[in-house]
Amino acid sequence: MIKRNNVLIVDDDVANLYQLSQILRNKYRIHAVKDGVSALKEAAKHEPDLILLDLIMPGLNGVEVFSQLKGNKKTKDIPVIFITGLTTSADESEGLALGAVDYIRKPFNETVVKLRVDHQIDIVNLRRGLENAAAKAEREAEAAKAANESKSNFLASMSHEIRTPLSAIIGITNILMQNMSLPEEVLGELDKISASSDLLLGIINDILDLSKIEAGKMDVMNVPYEIANLINTASHLNLMRINDKPIEFELEISDAMPARLLGDVLRIKQILNNLLSNAFKYTDAGEIVLSFDCVSAQAGVVLIISVRDTGHGISEAQQKNIFQEYARLHQDEAHVEGTGLGLNITQRLVQLLGGEIHVESEPRKGSVFTVRIPQKVIGTDLLDKEVADNLRQFRIDYTKNEKEIKKKRSLMPFGKVLIVDDIETNLYVTAGLMNLYRLRVDTAMNGQRAIKKITDGKKYDIIFMDHMMPGMNGVEATRRIRKTGYEGKIVALTANVLAGNDEMFLQSGFDGYISKPIDMEELDATLKKFLCDTRDVTKLSPRLVEAFVRDARKTLSALEKLPPSPEQYEGDEMRLFITYVHGIKSALQTVGEKSLSTLAERLERAGVSQDLRAIAEIYPSFINDFRIVLEKFEDYREEIPFT
């Protein structure tokens, strides 16, 4: 049954009420009242869709009733048609100026009444339909947003849960692969485990990226970058995908390429990696060409990147679907790995950056993917011709058997780190990776224990703090450590790799972060970055290390025999103190311990001037750090042969 609209008729003349009711009753539900007060009550009670209101009535006239209707929140939006016996256009203009939607004149013309009422009711129904549709769309949008938010949170949580055991698999495999004494067949099997783990990690990252894009959590983060670094990084990273395939990899770089650009280089690298990954995946032989060009645009340039291959190619039918989620280009090729998310994510990333992506392809002949992304130019310098030529020629010097060569890493026995993680397996893996650098490793199973170590006076070159821990998480633990005045480096370990995390960690007191599973290159870069101010003991000659250890032991033994406070010195004890700190000052400078050498010099000056207060302030810190320095040199001395 169709619901009929309500019409309220207000007129002090009963004959008029009857006539209008008869005209409209077959199509509408009619409410009729004879005065203004009743009209206001009826309108507030039933909220009719339209009011026919007589202008001239005793008591409250039509204008007064209209004014009160508009002043009431419940009735202010009800359209009103004035009923009048007045005939001048001025009267009609005045009523319309007040806000009436139309006029019906007396005596009534049945056709005119029906047409004018029908017209206003149609407008009411149309507006109501639009409002309902908008409300429904808003509800659906909110529901979709909530669903996306829920999915994003679920996937982020699952990502963390999956990454925890995966971190252990990848970490332990990396540790074992450093042992060159293992049989070749064992190393080969470990390599397969590593490759499969990397593939699984890539699938997890794809799913997480898709959820972040859908939830609107992937922000554009524009930063200045060198185009040469972008080209070099993307090329070398993907050359490993050649393996034993007879593929030539070529670079084409425009002579008009700016040296520096402003854009989201992280997303551009991701786009590049996805396109190159597909090219190597679906090309068995021939060539893959990566080209970079640019054209001027109103706000800078449009960066044009294309990847051309001589691979399997894509049919016209496939080209219509390749950017859809979970679309696999060649379903019949079971050996081709992947989820089918790569190109969908690539297209969404390109669109996120305000660009476009295009594909041209022919089966068994190959494909060309072209991406155009607007970028801003920094400065006026073009990419140096010599740099561009070196980038083009780099393939000559590239060694395909790179993975068979163990990365040469700097040993850092002078460094001391604290690893904080609530998962014992994670502690084992992370400590194992640190041991490859001969670092001195301390561990804590939660934030409270880490804080206790700091408040007990322990110092570390780097604290590696797990982000997600039960009870006190890594962010809160770091905040409390910073409140103690601790200024050492703290690096977050996180399996929750959401965009913008780097900024969040920096604002929370961290100096950086490493994603889990831990990537060896990322770890290596972090250690070099934060331990670079300490001299690498491995670069000192073994004989120098041996001599320093002997001198340091002798000095420490002598200092420990002196009274603990300079106020207790008697006879020659002050002279001996000055002699010992003077002698070790030079030795510390020689082995690169400049800050400790400076403390020794201050102690020497204080001793000469008999400044007992200065000695009392400086000496405890000096002797504590001196013991640590001696310990690290002794540790390294045991690792190297002396001749």
Side-chain angles (χ1 to χ4, degrees):
M1 182 177 179
I2 299 175
K3 184 179 179 181
R4 298 197 296 174
N5 293 89
N6 294 323
V7 176
L8 172 61
I9 304 172
V10 187
D11 198 309
D12 64 306
D13 189 325
V14 176
N16 289 339
L17 288 178
Y18 178 78
Q19 185 179 3
L20 288 172
S21 298
Q22 290 298 112
I23 293 172
L24 301 173
R25 64 184 300 174
N26 290 333
K27 196 170 184 179
Y28 305 107
R29 292 180 60 189
I30 304 300
H31 303 268
V33 295
K34 297 191 296 180
D35 59 81
V37 174
S38 299
L40 293 172
K41 291 179 180 178
E42 191 72 15
K45 181 179 179 181
H46 293 288
E47 297 183 38
D49 301 305
L50 178 66
I51 298 175
L52 275 55
L53 178 60
D54 188 20
L55 269 176
I56 308 299
M57 295 185 297
L60 287 177
N61 62 35
V63 172
E64 292 169 331
V65 172
F66 182 82
S67 177
Q68 292 192 39
L69 287 170
K70 293 302 176 185
N72 187 318
K73 186 177 180 180
K74 292 182 67 176
T75 60
K76 65 183 181 66
D77 294 324
I78 301 174
V80 175
I81 297 178
F82 279 137
I83 304 169
T84 181
L86 303 175
T87 58
T88 65
S89 59
D91 296 322
E92 185 174 345
S93 299
E94 183 181 357
L96 293 173
L98 290 172
V101 296
D102 206 345
Y103 255 87
I104 294 177
R105 299 186 181 280
K106 302 175 186 177
F108 303 123
N109 180 304
E110 182 175 345
T111 301
V112 171
V113 170
K114 287 182 177 180
L115 288 173
R116 298 200 173 197
V117 170
D118 288 348
H119 175 67
Q120 294 303 325
I121 290 296
D122 286 344
I123 293 174
V124 168
N125 290 339
L126 178 61
R127 183 184 65 193
R128 186 170 294 156
L130 292 173
E131 289 173 350
N132 290 339
K136 181 181 179 182
E138 185 175 353
R139 288 194 300 272
E140 291 175 348
E142 288 296 324
K145 181 180 178 181
N148 270 336
E149 185 77 20
S150 177
K151 182 175 73 172
S152 179
N153 291 336
F154 171 77
L155 289 173
S157 175
M158 286 300 99
S159 169
H160 181 272
E161 294 302 320
I162 295 172
R163 281 168 178 270
T164 297
L166 188 58
S167 295
I169 295 170
I170 293 176
I172 294 172
T173 303
N174 281 334
I175 293 170
L176 292 173
M177 289 176 71
Q178 308 304 313
N179 186 355
M180 297 307 294
S181 65
L182 290 174
E184 189 64 32
E185 60 270 19
V186 174
L187 289 172
E189 296 305 317
L190 289 172
D191 190 53
K192 291 177 182 177
I193 294 173
S194 178
S196 297
S197 300
D198 288 341
L199 174 62
L200 179 56
L201 182 60
I203 293 172
I204 294 170
N205 288 338
D206 280 349
I207 295 172
L208 191 59
D209 276 344
L210 184 62
S211 71
K212 287 188 290 185
I213 293 171
E214 289 180 342
K217 288 189 174 181
M218 187 168 283
D219 299 322
V220 175
M221 302 178 69
N222 292 325
V223 296
Y225 67 92
E226 306 280 345
I227 192 71
N229 289 341
L230 170 66
I231 297 172
N232 184 64
T233 302
S235 302
H236 278 83
L237 178 64
N238 285 278
L239 266 173
M240 292 184 292
R241 303 180 190 276
I242 292 178
N243 293 320
D244 298 323
K245 293 181 180 180
I247 295 175
E248 287 292 325
F249 182 69
E250 301 288 340
L251 267 175
E252 296 178 351
I253 306 170
S254 168
D255 293 334
M257 183 64 62
R260 301 186 75 226
L261 296 174
L262 179 71
D264 193 333
V265 67
L266 179 64
R267 303 300 170 212
I268 294 174
K269 285 181 182 177
Q270 192 173 354
I271 291 166
L272 257 174
N273 288 337
N274 284 351
L275 294 179
L276 286 170
S277 171
N278 266 358
F280 283 109
K281 185 188 300 182
Y282 294 111
T283 302
D284 299 321
E287 67 174 13
I288 293 173
V289 180
L290 172 62
S291 69
F292 288 82
D293 198 354
C294 67
V295 294
S296 297
Q298 187 174 1
V301 297
V302 174
L303 179 63
I304 305 172
I305 303 172
S306 74
V307 177
R308 184 172 74 249
D309 64 63
T310 56
H312 301 182
I314 311 165
S315 68
E316 287 188 19
Q318 288 175 323
Q319 289 179 40
K320 295 176 182 178
N321 301 318
I322 57 172
F323 294 116
Q324 293 181 4
E325 293 178 16
Y326 311 106
R328 290 285 298 273
L329 299 183
H330 302 278
Q331 296 282 1
D332 56 331
E333 298 179 11
H335 68 280
V336 176
E337 300 164 331
T339 59
L341 287 173
L343 286 176
N344 176 262
I345 292 171
T346 300
Q347 183 189 51
R348 294 187 184 217
L349 288 174
V350 171
Q351 292 171 345
L352 182 69
L353 300 181
E356 57 184 27
I357 184 170
H358 177 68
V359 59
E360 296 178 10
S361 187
E362 188 174 341
R364 293 178 297 280
K365 290 190 176 181
S367 306
V368 181
F369 284 85
T370 303
V371 170
R372 298 171 183 268
I373 302 172
Q375 301 284 273
K376 291 185 178 179
V377 179
I378 298 178
T380 58
D381 293 341
L382 297 179
L383 182 64
D384 186 81
K385 187 177 185 302
E386 184 178 352
V387 173
D389 288 341
N390 289 337
L391 287 169
R392 295 187 189 100
Q393 295 299 319
F394 79 97
R395 64 189 184 281
I396 296 174
D397 300 323
Y398 183 80
T399 304
K400 290 184 180 179
N401 295 325
E402 183 184 74
K403 64 181 180 180
E404 296 177 6
I405 302 174
K406 299 304 176 186
K407 184 173 182 177
K408 293 182 179 179
R409 60 177 60 85
S410 299
L411 298 181
M412 302 176 181
F414 53 86
K416 187 173 183 180
V417 299
L418 172 64
I419 305 168
V420 187
D421 201 305
D422 63 298
I423 304 296
E424 192 170 349
T425 305
N426 289 348
L427 287 176
Y428 170 79
V429 169
T430 309
L433 296 176
M434 301 296 174
N435 287 334
L436 297 175
Y437 293 85
R438 307 280 175 80
L439 289 162
R440 291 175 294 158
V441 178
D442 196 3
T443 60
M445 287 288 289
N446 54 50
Q448 289 91 338
R449 293 182 183 179
I451 295 169
K452 180 70 165 52
K453 289 178 182 289
I454 299 304
T455 55
D456 285 347
K458 291 193 176 183
K459 295 181 180 179
Y460 303 94
D461 293 291
I462 307 175
I463 297 175
F464 289 93
M465 179 74 71
D466 185 30
H467 175 208
M468 301 294 288
M469 293 185 289
M472 183 189 300
N473 63 32
V475 174
E476 176 63 18
T478 298
R479 187 184 67 81
R480 295 192 184 186
I481 288 173
R482 291 302 189 199
K483 286 186 73 173
T484 69
Y486 187 82
E487 297 180 351
K489 303 299 182 183
I490 305 179
V491 175
L493 296 174
T494 177
N496 187 12
V497 287
L498 291 175
N501 265 359
D502 48 352
E503 187 65 27
M504 183 273 287
F505 285 126
L506 291 176
Q507 291 176 355
S508 300
F510 292 92
D511 296 283
Y513 80 99
I514 296 178
S515 58
K516 294 195 292 187
I518 295 175
D519 178 79
M520 290 300 297
E521 289 190 9
E522 193 175 4
L523 174 61
D524 191 71
T526 299
L527 291 173
K528 287 178 178 177
K529 177 181 179 181
F530 293 132
L531 290 176
C532 62
D533 291 335
T534 305
R535 186 166 180 178
D536 189 344
V537 179
T538 62
K539 295 180 181 179
L540 301 177
S541 71
R543 291 190 178 278
L544 178 58
V545 173
E546 174 75 10
F548 174 77
V549 168
R550 286 198 302 267
D551 290 339
R553 283 176 175 173
K554 179 181 176 181
T555 300
L556 181 61
S557 175
L559 289 173
E560 287 178 337
K561 290 177 181 177
L562 293 174
S565 170
E567 295 177 350
Q568 300 172 336
Y569 289 174
E570 297 178 354
D572 289 341
E573 288 179 335
M574 178 59 76
R575 182 182 59 80
L576 290 172
F577 173 81
I578 296 170
T579 301
Y580 293 138
V581 295
H582 170 78
I584 203 64
K585 172 187 70 176
S586 299
L588 289 167
Q589 181 77 17
T590 301
V591 296
E593 297 293 338
K594 296 180 181 179
S595 60
L596 199 56
S597 175
T598 300
L599 284 182
E601 183 180 4
R602 290 174 60 190
L603 285 171
E604 180 187 4
R605 290 201 307 267
V608 171
S609 63
Q610 297 293 307
D611 188 346
L612 302 185
R613 181 177 179 182
I615 295 175
E617 289 179 354
I618 300 171
Y619 186 68
S621 176
F622 170 81
I623 201 69
N624 181 66
D625 290 348
F626 185 44
R627 290 190 182 100
I628 293 174
V629 167
L630 175 57
E631 182 184 347
K632 76 181 180 184
F633 275 87
E634 286 176 332
D635 288 346
Y636 179 62
R637 179 180 173 276
E638 295 175 2
E639 301 287 343
I640 56 177
F642 288 88
T643 58

